């Protein structure tokens, strides 16, 4: 659909059926909703009273008809400059609405819609603006969080691979491929998040991903070492063949058990 709609206004245009046709009505509705910008361009002197677009800001400047300008090239230059300014205002307005929608669906944890809106913003927003990086980070996070249900952090092997879980009717390998594709996109959008590489390491077992993950987030290495130590430790089985002697227990009490908070991937949390 067109975002900038020009109405070339003359007495002939006002007298035509098109002026009051459904297309102009639809264009005005989109203008009022902020989806498009309708710009009347006054070619010849006319009376706009009663026209559906009569209250809109017209071009050239001050709604002075093109035929009234001593130099018509200057008139059309003024029209071109006005159209450019209107287009820039419209883009900023649309991006503001998109960011508001992005924040809303993010609060609702609707990750597919976050991805859709985020990609739309990235396709429209100049990459030198600070909002561009915000959109990249939010979109990357959504690509990962959409699969949070499939990652079971409690099921990690000795090498630290996070296992995936699927529903009964889902193809595990197909899900793995889809997760990997989304992780690739997340890393492309936000390459400084170590946990994204760690999850991709779990999918593809590439040591380079694990190396990069630890470079960006040393806590990953510490968590893996803690888990390996826990898996290597043998549980101490109390000797139940001897009777319990309270005085011996008080003289040599067992060392208190240190329970560490289990490590959880922040990128999977809401």
């Amino acid at each position: 659909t067109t975002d900038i709609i020009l109405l070339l206004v003359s007495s002939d245009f006002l007298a035509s059926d098109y002026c009051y046709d459904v297309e102009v009505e639809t264009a005005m509705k989109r203008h009022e909703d902020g989806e498009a910008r309708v710009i009347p361009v006054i070619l010849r002197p006319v009376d706009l009273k009663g026209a559906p677009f009569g209250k809109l800001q017209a071009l050239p400047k001050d709604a002075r008809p093109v035929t009234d300008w001593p130099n018509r090239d200057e008139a059309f230059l003024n029209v071109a400059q006005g159209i450019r300014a209107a287009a820039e205002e419209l883009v900023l307005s649309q991006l503001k609405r998109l960011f508001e929608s992005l924040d809303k669906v993010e609060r609702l944890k609707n990750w597919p819609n976050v991805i859709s809106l985020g990609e739309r913003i990235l396709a429209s927003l100049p990459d030198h603006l600070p909002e561009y990086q915000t959109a990249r980070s939010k979109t990357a996070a959504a690509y990962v969080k959409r699969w949070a249900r499939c990652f079971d952090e409690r099921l990690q092997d000795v090498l630290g691979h996070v296992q995936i879980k699927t529903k009964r009717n889902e193809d595990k390998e197909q899900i793995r491929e889809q997760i990997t594709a989304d992780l690739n996109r997340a890393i492309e959008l936000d390459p400084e998040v170590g946990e994204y590489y760690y999850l991709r390491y779990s999918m593809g077992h590439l040591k380079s991903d694990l190396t990069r993950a630890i470079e960006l987030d040393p806590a990953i290495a510490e968590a893996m070492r803690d888990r390996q130590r826990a898996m290597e430790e043998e549980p101490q089985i109390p000797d139940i063949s001897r009777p319990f002697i309270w005085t011996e227990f008080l003289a040599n009490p067992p060392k208190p058990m240190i329970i560490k908070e289990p490590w959880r991937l922040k990128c999977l949390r809401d």
Side-chain angles (χ1 to χ4, degrees), residues 52-69:
F53 48 83
K55 295 183 179 180
L56 299 183
Q57 182 176 352
L59 294 173
K61 183 180 179 181
D62 299 327
R64 183 182 181 186
V66 171
T67 56
D68 283 0
W69 287 62

Side-chain angles (χ1 to χ4, degrees), residues 221-241:
E222 184 61 30
M224 292 180 67
R225 284 194 291 267
D226 287 344
R227 186 165 187 82
Q228 288 173 355
R229 283 194 293 264
M231 295 178 70
E232 292 168 359
E233 289 179 357
E234 295 183 0
Q236 295 183 353
I237 302 175
D239 183 3
I240 60 174
S241 62

Side-chain angles (χ1 to χ4, degrees), residues 56-189:
L56 299 183
Q57 182 176 352
L59 294 173
K61 183 180 179 181
D62 299 327
R64 183 182 181 186
V66 171
T67 56
D68 283 0
W69 287 62
N71 187 327
R72 292 190 181 181
D73 288 340
E74 289 185 5
F76 285 116
L77 174 61
N78 184 267
V79 169
Q81 292 171 338
I83 292 171
R84 183 183 300 111
E88 292 173 352
E89 291 176 3
L90 178 62
V91 168
L92 292 176
S93 175
Q94 289 178 334
L95 286 173
K96 180 181 178 181
R97 292 171 63 241
L98 283 174
F99 268 107
E100 290 173 352
S101 298
L102 181 67
D103 290 339
K104 180 179 179 180
V105 295
E106 189 179 38
R107 289 193 299 270
L108 295 173
K109 304 176 186 178
N110 189 333
W111 306 124
N113 279 357
V114 172
I115 292 170
S116 176
L117 285 168
E119 293 288 8
R120 282 181 60 189
I121 291 172
L122 293 175
S124 306
L125 195 65
D127 59 9
H128 67 276
L129 296 178
E131 293 85 357
Y132 185 81
Q133 185 55 48
T134 299
R136 286 176 68 101
S137 298
K138 287 178 176 286
T139 307
Y143 272 111
V144 177
K145 288 180 179 180
R146 74 187 300 186
W147 298 109
R149 69 172 179 85
C150 293
F151 290 112
D152 194 338
E153 298 166 272
R154 297 169 300 176
L155 299 177
Q156 296 182 30
D157 58 26
V158 70
L159 297 177
H161 301 133
V162 178
Q163 304 300 300
I164 63 172
K165 55 184 179 180
T166 57
K167 296 178 181 178
R168 185 175 301 178
N169 61 337
E170 291 179 331
D171 185 319
K172 193 170 186 177
E173 287 308 311
Q174 185 178 21
I175 293 294
R176 183 184 296 272
E177 291 177 3
Q178 293 172 353
I179 292 174
T180 301
D182 280 356
L183 285 170
N184 290 341
R185 180 58 176 156
I187 290 171
E188 180 184 357
L189 291 172

